[in-house]
Amino acid sequence: MVEMMSEKKFDYFIQGEKNKWEVIIGLEIHAQVLSKSKLFSSSPTKFGAEPNSQVSLLDSAFPGMLPVINQFCIEQSIKTGLGLKAKINLHSVFDRKNYFYADLPQGYQISQYKNPIVGEGEIILDMPYGSKKVRIERLHLEQDAGKSIHDLDPENTYVDLNRSGIALMEIVSKPDLRSPDEVSAYVKKLRSIMRYLGTCDGNMQEGSLRADVNVSVRKVGNKELGTRCEIKNVNSIKFMQMAINYEAKRQIELLESNKIVNQETRLFDIKKNKTRTMRSKEDAHDYRYFPDPDLLPLNIEKSLVDMLKKDLPELPDEKKERFIKEHNLSAYEATILVSEKEISDYYEEVVKSCDKKLATNWITGDLFAVLNKKNVSISKSPISANNLSSMISMISSGKISGKIAKNVFEKMQINDEDPQKIVEREGLVQQSNPKKLEKLIQEVIAKNEAKVSDYKAGKVKLFGFFVGEIMKASKGKANPILVNKILKAKLN
Amino acid sequence: MSIDKDTVKHISKLARISLDEKKVDSLSKNLSSIIEFIEKLNELNTDKITPLTSIIDASLTSRKDEAKNENIRDKILKNSPEKNAEFFVVPKVIE
Amino acid sequence: MKDLTKKTLCNLVKGIKKKDFTSEEITNFFIENSKNGKKLNTFITTNFERALEEAKNFDKNKNYEGLLSGIPLAVKDLFCTKDVKTTAGSKMLNNFIPTYESTVTSNLWKEGAFLLGKLNCDEFAMGSSNETSFFGNVINPYGDKLIPGGSSGGSASALAANFTPATIGTDTGGSIRQPASFTGTVGLKPTYGRCSRWGIVAFASSLDQAGPMTQNVEDCALLLEAISSYDSKDSTSANIKVDQYTKNLTDNIKGLKIGIPREYRVENMPDEIDVFWKKGIEFLKDAGAIIKDINLPHTKYALPSYYIVAPAEASSNLARYDGVKYGHRAKGNNLNEMYENTRSEGFGDEVKRRILIGTYVLSSGYYDAYYIKAQKVRQLIKNDFDKAFKDVDAVLTPSTPNSAFKVGDKKDDPISMYLNDVFTVPVNLAGLPAISIPAGHDKNNLPLGLQLIGKAFDEQTILNLSLAIEKRASFKRQITEWWK
């Protein structure tokens, strides 16, 4: 299989009034760890519970309460680090990050500052212009904060501490991203890796994946980085892209008017499609990090890391390579099939017992179209993997044709019915009996003597007409391959 | 090193403690003398020493990932000076 | 009413078993004494009615299995006690009623004791004279103008005045040992990690330890055994078996090596302190110990190091007191104003000082110069002790550089107040166990204590050495009940 060399080049540059600019982006992603209980307390972590119903004395920082770390959260971070091909730090330290806010009952967040649990790693992105490596700076564990609800009461804020203390992995990239599209690909890939690993469900609507976006600009050709601004808590990829677009242009406008960009924290206003200052320099937080004296340093055994490495599921990049080599798929097809764990699971279930090429086409074509139309993910597919597989097997065996299959496919969507039953009940079995087909074809030819003469005289396009008539006569059931063969023989 | 009034005001903001001018004044004096006292440590050269990281010669112990499902919302909210049936209630932040 | 004045905790425990007296009789005795002792201001919250109920129940059920069966005990108001107000000596927690019980006090109740009341202390355990409590000063039973020491001043005073047969306090820089020295009682700070910190209002997490305060060494061993345990809810709790301190208590200390650190002979130390120190050395020699001179070269840097580390940790531990979840709340037009007013109203001056120092030494630009420096010095101090303990089994020093001073004497001079802890603070920095035992009275007839510092988790040795000193010192508290 020869892959066409991509001719597309990277082209996200912004033409200012005076100069051509490029955009430098780094992301800090907060990913909620999938675990039953919180990082330092045994409260449950389920989303959507009654306010303050999943809060312990520790989560609400009562006097004398002390943190005890959740072993599984440690392992989930290590697994994520391994999925990012990153260095696992066998020695790490928990630090207190001190600041005041209503949803931070302790008055500090337990986080990691100078000694995070995971060090440098990387993520490879598949862009239209080729592979792009994005370097990861670090991953550390920290507590999530509670929720402040500002709009239930005109004068007050309500505080719900259910989320307070849930384990977060903060994943910091180096400023290697250069466009909103790369940002989108990065977030999707990172989310996919964590879903493959089962370490985070990546559900941005529920807040289990949030991002702070760091944006700066520089003239094309310059090597130094410009001053960056941080856009906090953007909770969808679309908004991230909009925010980056706006912010880049804002900074370019400032710089081209000989003003400077102030390093500051900003918020993205989704109604106005603008970023605005969140904190002035005066209110800048001084977090006064110091090692948490309620916790000892974390020392991890190498044997634990080795064991977790051994038990890692196959990750998207490896799976993609395997699909290309062993299933003979194209890079493009493989990329789509591994993009989400649910899709690759579905595909692998389907191809357990049917042709891989057909499976690929049916899944990425017809099935995806249905899912899009119904706006559901493949985990809620109206057609189960088993049934799709069964249908495809019938095509391979010649029991039904591709055309008939489209009909069966439609009908399967109603109740996810076994396609064999549908075919039998509706008499959709392909007509593949050569003698019967010959008779049918002979009849059609006999009815259309004039056209036959035209065909023989050179109007070869009429072949399609004959096929059409044969299909009509057979109510669509004639085996197209055999029809072709027999018709050709008869006409020549 | 002395701690001037502006520094006292700055730290008190970080620590969320309001102080009147008189207090700022007396604290500036108090804190300066305390800092002078603790600066005795500068007599020691500690370049080659690692800071103490834990008194106990042990590593962090952990617990199993088991959720205790008891809803103790009543206990949690009981002592709050301002609350309703479900939430803690606080004055709004000025953004 | 039976006069149980001369009875120690151990006497009472045995007496109840032998049916010499009932739990109700004991409880009434201490309640009477306490009610007559209001001038000393030792109690913040009394639990007398419930204590009597417990006593009556005990006498009915007669379960003698615990180490402290049937004994009423008052404890420092820093331990969270379920359904009983716990204030930490502060306006900030003046209305706080915990829905949970600290591990250490749970251990006491498991052994058959019950709560008599909550004892006054310096606010959030910050102080050396019990003059910073929101609930007023505690008075030393030795004289109505004298401070009892701090921060466990209420505990030491109530113990010395017989309002409780024994008690527990907490020690972060000397808060058990120093008041013990000032009131002629015994106070022990266990090795860091020996007792659980769960449910104790936190001051400085890497230094705080709960410990027994008793009339004599035998009582101290018993109470230490009762409160010590490994607690999986406390990540700094030591998973080391608790010794049978009572069973192994002996004054046979022949051959034990005692270190005398020359650096503890500080500038301007009163001669009397030196005299008592030498007396202590003689007692131990007499008991067969071998005396050795040792060096603890970084001793003089312990106080400055402590006054960086402790306030730093405190500034962070006390950030939770913001008026949102519990405790005092002031009005404010917005969140920050509410915080600032709440904390300004809720905290006293000393607490504010320490929070501000702590915030400062952790702040941007100063962290390395102060906090990291202090932690390095702390390592040096620990190294000093580790080295010394290769040659000796325990270290003998005075507990305090002077005896109890008058109320108001050091109020405006924080540094002078801090210097009270010069002998006790190095021990907390190194995480070691130490005990203060009364050794005699100074020329003003005020008590002075001797301190024994032990190896980590070797409380037994310092208890044994203390017993040897106690037997030879024949110390008797010279207190008249002037407050009645």
Side-chain angles (χ1 to χ4, degrees):
Chain A
M1 190 101 207
V2 176
E3 200 60 58
M4 285 272 284
M5 278 302 287
S6 176
E7 282 175 13
K8 209 165 188 268
K9 274 202 190 138
F10 174 81
D11 63 0
Y12 187 78
F13 298 103
I14 299 182
Q15 187 60 46
E17 280 190 24
K18 300 179 188 157
N19 302 289
K20 191 173 174 193
W21 298 83
E22 62 173 350
V23 188
I24 317 285
I25 305 153
L27 288 183
E28 282 165 27
I29 295 212
H30 292 92
Q32 268 184 4
V33 175
L34 273 174
S35 65
K36 293 189 203 127
S37 62
K38 296 183 179 180
L39 182 55
F40 292 109
S41 80
S42 296
S43 304
T45 57
K46 292 201 188 82
F47 179 78
E50 284 281 302
N52 288 307
S53 66
Q54 293 183 162
V55 178
S56 68
L57 297 167
L58 175 62
D59 300 329
S60 37
F62 273 82
M65 292 300 104
L66 297 170
V68 181
I69 198 167
N70 179 336
Q71 175 66 21
F72 188 63
C73 292
I74 298 173
E75 291 173 9
Q76 293 286 63
S77 320
I78 297 173
K79 276 154 71 178
T80 306
L82 291 171
L84 299 173
K85 300 192 176 47
K87 176 167 182 287
I88 308 299
N89 294 324
L90 297 181
H91 172 85
S92 67
V93 176
F94 286 97
D95 300 289
R96 291 190 186 176
K97 181 178 179 181
N98 298 281
Y99 66 97
F100 284 88
Y101 201 59
D103 58 19
L104 193 69
Q106 287 159 157
Y108 60 85
Q109 173 198 34
I110 303 179
S111 176
Q112 296 188 296
Y113 186 46
K114 293 205 170 136
N115 298 89
I117 187 171
V118 172
E120 294 185 338
E122 67 184 33
I123 291 187
I124 312 285
L125 307 179
D126 295 302
M127 303 306 295
Y129 37 83
S131 276
K132 162 126 189 178
K133 178 161 88 173
V134 180
R135 296 166 300 164
I136 302 288
E137 174 78 50
R138 55 184 270 158
L139 178 156
H140 72 254
L141 267 173
E142 62 180 23
Q143 295 175 306
D144 205 346
K147 277 213 182 100
S148 293
I149 302 164
H150 302 292
D151 53 7
L152 285 175
D153 180 326
E155 271 156 35
N156 293 306
T157 293
Y158 290 179
V159 181
D160 173 10
L161 295 178
N162 278 349
R163 204 180 60 179
S164 167
I166 290 185
L168 286 180
M169 293 178 288
E170 179 171 323
I171 302 161
V172 182
S173 80
K174 296 209 195 235
D176 288 350
L177 298 161
R178 294 284 178 275
S179 72
D181 282 347
E182 287 189 357
V183 166
S184 171
Y186 174 81
V187 175
K188 285 181 178 157
K189 186 74 180 275
L190 177 58
R191 184 170 72 190
S192 173
I193 291 173
M194 291 191 293
R195 285 161 70 98
Y196 266 85
L197 291 167
T199 58
C200 172
D201 68 17
N203 188 331
M204 294 186 87
Q205 276 120 317
E206 288 184 358
S208 48
L209 193 71
R210 313 186 298 259
D212 295 339
V213 187
N214 290 299
V215 182
S216 69
V217 296
R218 71 178 172 204
K219 290 185 203 153
V220 175
N222 275 2
K223 291 229 166 88
E224 276 180 25
L225 293 173
T227 307
R228 61 180 164 88
C229 287
E230 184 186 18
I231 308 169
K232 277 199 96 62
N233 267 327
V234 197
N235 55 22
S236 83
I237 294 178
K238 184 176 117 189
F239 291 146
M240 271 183 237
Q241 295 178 308
M242 287 161 70
I244 292 166
N245 269 320
Y246 175 84
E247 181 62 20
K249 293 195 177 104
R250 181 189 79 89
Q251 292 188 14
I252 289 168
E253 253 168 62
L254 279 173
L255 293 169
E256 287 200 334
S257 355
N258 284 324
K259 300 205 186 99
I260 54 163
V261 174
N262 287 323
Q263 180 169 8
E264 56 187 13
T265 306
R266 300 175 74 84
L267 285 175
F268 182 62
D269 186 328
I270 58 180
K271 289 191 197 123
K272 296 191 182 146
N273 193 0
K274 281 182 172 182
T275 63
R276 58 180 174 83
T277 312
M278 178 179 168
R279 276 196 274 273
S280 71
K281 210 162 180 231
E282 250 186 33
D283 295 337
H285 286 307
D286 180 352
Y287 292 120
R288 290 159 276 133
Y289 285 98
F290 72 103
D292 192 328
D294 287 332
L295 296 167
L296 305 176
L298 179 63
N299 289 317
I300 302 169
E301 297 285 324
K302 187 164 181 302
S303 57
L304 174 65
V305 178
D306 291 338
M307 183 197 84
L308 291 172
K309 195 166 190 179
K310 200 163 64 74
D311 290 340
L312 277 187
E314 190 182 35
L315 290 175
D317 287 346
E318 282 104 51
K319 205 182 277 284
K320 176 179 154 190
E321 286 309 308
R322 182 165 65 83
F323 283 177
I324 292 172
K325 284 206 184 90
E326 294 175 18
H327 294 209
N328 235 347
L329 301 181
S330 71
Y332 176 74
E333 289 166 337
T335 301
I336 296 180
L337 289 174
V338 305
S339 64
E340 291 288 332
K341 184 165 190 287
E342 287 77 22
I343 298 174
S344 65
D345 281 348
Y346 188 96
Y347 167 78
E348 290 193 269
E349 187 63 35
V350 170
V351 300
K352 267 187 190 155
S353 42
C354 80
D355 178 71
K356 297 181 175 70
K357 203 66 192 181
L358 283 173
T360 303
N361 291 341
W362 276 95
I363 292 172
T364 62
D366 299 77
L367 185 63
F368 274 16
V370 169
L371 297 177
N372 275 335
K373 194 159 167 228
K374 288 187 196 283
N375 200 15
V376 295
S377 70
I378 203 166
S379 51
K380 298 220 163 55
S381 167
I383 300 171
S384 65
N386 273 337
N387 282 340
L388 184 63
S389 184
S390 182
M391 187 196 88
I392 293 170
S393 296
M394 286 196 281
I395 301 174
S396 298
S397 70
K399 191 164 183 190
I400 58 174
S401 67
K403 194 167 184 240
I404 295 173
K406 296 237 184 236
N407 189 353
V408 176
F409 186 82
E410 284 288 315
K411 293 192 161 66
M412 273 201 292
Q413 285 174 47
I414 303 170
N415 268 327
D416 190 25
E417 200 185 340
D418 181 342
Q420 310 242 27
K421 292 208 174 99
I422 297 177
V423 163
E424 262 154 47
R425 185 181 60 240
E426 315 227 353
L428 294 171
V429 180
Q430 182 167 242
Q431 177 54 274
S432 298
N433 185 324
K435 288 213 170 86
K436 291 208 172 126
L437 280 176
E438 255 207 72
K439 185 161 176 261
L440 196 99
I441 291 170
Q442 195 54 50
E443 282 168 19
V444 167
I445 287 178
K447 278 193 191 141
N448 295 283
E449 273 182 29
K451 291 222 162 74
V452 174
S453 309
D454 288 340
Y455 176 81
K456 286 194 173 156
K459 281 192 178 166
V460 288
K461 279 200 182 147
L462 284 171
F463 193 85
F465 166 78
F466 293 124
V467 172
E469 291 299 301
I470 294 164
M471 282 307 182
K472 241 194 273 178
S474 70
K475 295 200 175 78
K477 288 192 237 173
N479 183 325
I481 300 166
L482 285 178
V483 162
N484 237 295
K485 195 166 142 208
I486 299 172
L487 182 62
K488 257 202 184 111
K490 285 213 179 280
L491 290 175
N492 292 330
Chain B
M1 172 112 172
S2 78
I3 302 204
D4 62 20
K5 290 202 241 176
D6 281 338
T7 307
V8 174
K9 287 185 185 158
H10 173 69
I11 328 171
S12 71
K13 270 220 132 32
L14 282 179
R16 295 294 189 275
I17 299 178
S18 71
L19 301 171
D20 60 31
E21 277 305 313
K22 217 171 109 196
K23 265 256 150 45
V24 172
D25 225 4
S26 70
L27 276 169
S28 169
K29 294 195 185 84
N30 279 162
L31 299 184
S32 297
S33 64
I34 297 175
I35 292 292
E36 207 185 301
F37 175 67
I38 65 185
E39 281 184 332
K40 197 180 170 68
L41 294 186
N42 292 334
E43 287 171 19
L44 280 174
N45 182 324
T46 54
D47 290 342
K48 294 209 171 80
I49 312 291
T50 358
L52 187 94
T53 47
S54 71
I55 269 290
I56 300 187
D57 188 21
S59 293
L60 189 58
T61 48
S62 61
R63 55 165 230 278
K64 283 207 192 111
D65 185 27
E66 285 163 349
K68 291 214 177 97
N69 282 304
E70 33 160 5
N71 177 350
I72 53 167
R73 181 161 74 190
D74 291 339
K75 275 196 194 150
I76 296 293
L77 291 176
K78 183 173 138 187
N79 273 286
S80 175
E82 236 181 286
K83 64 208 180 246
N84 57 39
E86 298 178 297
F87 295 98
F88 297 98
V89 178
V90 300
K92 280 212 195 300
V93 190
I94 305 184
E95 260 301 343
Chain C
M1 163 119 43
K2 284 217 170 78
D3 180 9
L4 302 168
T5 309
K6 297 274 166 31
K7 302 290 178 198
T8 65
L9 175 67
C10 289
N11 292 157
L12 292 172
V13 170
K14 283 190 192 116
I16 284 189
K17 280 203 180 113
K18 283 198 293 168
K19 307 209 174 41
D20 291 345
F21 29 73
T22 63
S23 174
E24 190 179 344
E25 281 172 327
I26 297 176
T27 306
N28 269 321
F29 173 74
F30 287 106
I31 290 177
E32 258 325 284
N33 284 359
S34 303
K35 282 189 172 158
N36 289 330
K38 292 215 171 95
K39 280 207 180 115
L40 299 187
N41 197 25
T42 57
F43 279 87
I44 292 178
T45 303
T46 57
N47 194 43
F48 296 157
E49 268 172 45
R50 253 178 294 186
L52 267 172
E53 266 172 49
E54 295 265 4
K56 287 178 185 155
N57 271 333
F58 175 84
D59 289 330
K60 231 191 286 168
N61 299 325
K62 297 189 178 49
N63 176 353
Y64 298 115
E65 283 179 20
L67 291 173
L68 307 167
S69 297
I71 305 292
L73 291 173
V75 306
K76 183 174 184 177
D77 205 12
L78 214 59
F79 295 94
C80 288
T81 42
K82 187 161 187 270
D83 301 330
V84 177
K85 191 164 84 168
T86 299
T87 69
S90 179
K91 179 176 177 179
M92 188 61 92
L93 290 177
N94 189 12
N95 54 10
F96 175 59
I97 302 184
T99 56
Y100 50 96
E101 186 82 34
S102 80
T103 298
V104 164
T105 50
S106 292
N107 288 347
L108 289 174
W109 317 148
K110 262 190 226 148
E111 292 295 344
F114 45 87
L115 184 69
L116 189 59
K118 306 301 291 297
L119 297 169
N120 205 344
C121 58
D122 276 311
E123 189 183 1
F124 282 103
M126 299 185 200
S128 305
S129 61
N130 220 135
E131 289 178 287
T132 71
S133 169
F134 174 68
F135 300 92
N137 298 342
V138 172
I139 304 297
N140 191 328
Y142 266 87
D144 77 346
K145 295 201 175 29
L146 294 173
I147 54 93
S151 60
S152 312
S155 297
S157 181
L159 174 68
N162 262 302
F163 300 167
T164 176
T167 181
I168 48 170
T170 65
D171 189 314
T172 304
S175 294
I176 286 177
R177 294 160 286 154
Q178 185 249 35
S181 176
F182 282 5
T183 54
T185 55
V186 175
L188 183 144
K189 182 202 89 70
T191 312
Y192 183 81
R194 175 71 285 173
C195 295
S196 167
R197 290 186 301 113
W198 195 89
I200 302 178
V201 179
F203 161 16
S205 312
S206 74
L207 300 162
D208 294 343
Q209 261 300 278
M213 298 173 77
T214 56
Q215 296 177 48
N216 66 11
V217 176
E218 193 190 15
D219 287 357
C220 191
L222 179 65
L223 205 48
L224 179 63
E225 213 172 307
I227 61 174
S228 303
S229 65
Y230 167 63
D231 187 358
S232 61
K233 298 195 297 297
D234 173 2
S235 296
T236 59
S237 176
N239 195 354
I240 293 180
K241 194 163 154 291
V242 178
D243 289 335
Q244 294 177 295
Y245 302 116
T246 302
K247 183 156 170 255
N248 298 326
L249 188 65
T250 170
D251 67 330
N252 179 359
I253 49 125
K254 269 205 184 76
L256 284 182
K257 298 191 214 86
I258 312 299
I260 309 297
R262 49 180 64 105
E263 292 81 3
Y264 272 62
R265 196 157 270 113
V266 298
E267 235 179 281
N268 299 324
M269 190 161 88
D271 288 333
E272 278 184 304
I273 306 283
D274 211 18
V275 163
F276 277 112
W277 196 359
K278 289 201 169 84
K279 258 175 72 181
I281 294 172
E282 287 311 311
F283 290 148
L284 289 175
K285 260 196 199 154
D286 182 67
I290 302 166
I291 308 298
K292 289 182 132 198
D293 279 334
I294 59 166
N295 285 331
L296 296 172
H298 298 95
T299 300
K300 66 179 172 186
Y301 301 107
L303 261 181
S305 174
Y306 174 83
Y307 276 101
I308 292 172
V309 174
E313 294 181 6
S315 71
S316 182
N317 282 332
L318 269 63
R320 63 190 58 199
Y321 302 106
D322 57 11
V324 178
K325 299 91 60 186
Y326 44 77
H328 179 72
R329 180 196 299 216
K331 293 212 188 320
N333 290 322
N334 56 62
L335 187 64
N336 275 330
E337 233 184 73
M338 188 276 271
Y339 282 158
E340 290 180 356
N341 293 340
T342 294
R343 290 160 66 77
S344 179
E345 288 175 18
F347 291 138
D349 285 344
E350 183 60 33
V351 169
K352 284 191 180 118
R353 262 194 287 273
R354 298 209 195 181
I355 289 178
L356 292 176
I357 282 287
T359 305
Y360 182 69
V361 302
L362 289 176
S363 66
S364 172
Y366 297 108
Y367 177 74
D368 285 334
Y370 293 121
Y371 187 79
I372 290 292
K373 183 92 185 180
Q375 290 286 64
K376 287 183 173 187
V377 171
R378 193 172 173 184
Q379 184 65 60
L380 288 171
I381 291 169
K382 185 168 189 296
N383 293 346
D384 281 357
F385 277 106
D386 288 344
K387 187 154 171 255
F389 279 126
K390 288 201 173 99
D391 290 331
V392 301
D393 302 299
V395 173
L396 178 73
T397 79
S399 300
T400 50
N402 42 252
S403 59
F405 45 89
K406 292 212 178 69
V407 172
D409 257 6
K410 297 185 199 266
K411 213 149 186 228
D412 295 317
D413 190 352
I415 306 288
S416 165
M417 187 68 84
Y418 298 162
L419 287 170
N420 265 297
D421 298 327
V422 65
F423 298 143
T424 50
V425 148
V427 174
N428 300 78
L429 291 172
L432 297 169
I435 187 172
S436 173
I437 35 172
H441 291 90
D442 71 359
K443 61 177 184 279
N444 296 322
N445 276 324
L446 296 176
L448 283 170
L450 285 172
Q451 174 178 242
L452 280 157
I453 308 170
K455 295 180 186 169
F457 300 101
D458 190 15
E459 283 80 357
Q460 192 69 62
T461 296
I462 55 174
L463 283 165
N464 293 348
L465 288 166
S466 303
L467 190 63
I469 293 183
E470 182 180 79
K471 287 202 168 154
R472 286 161 181 80
S474 303
F475 175 87
K476 283 202 175 20
R477 264 195 300 285
Q478 294 168 8
I479 298 177
T480 62
E481 288 178 329
W482 53 266
W483 55 79
K484 269 195 162 146

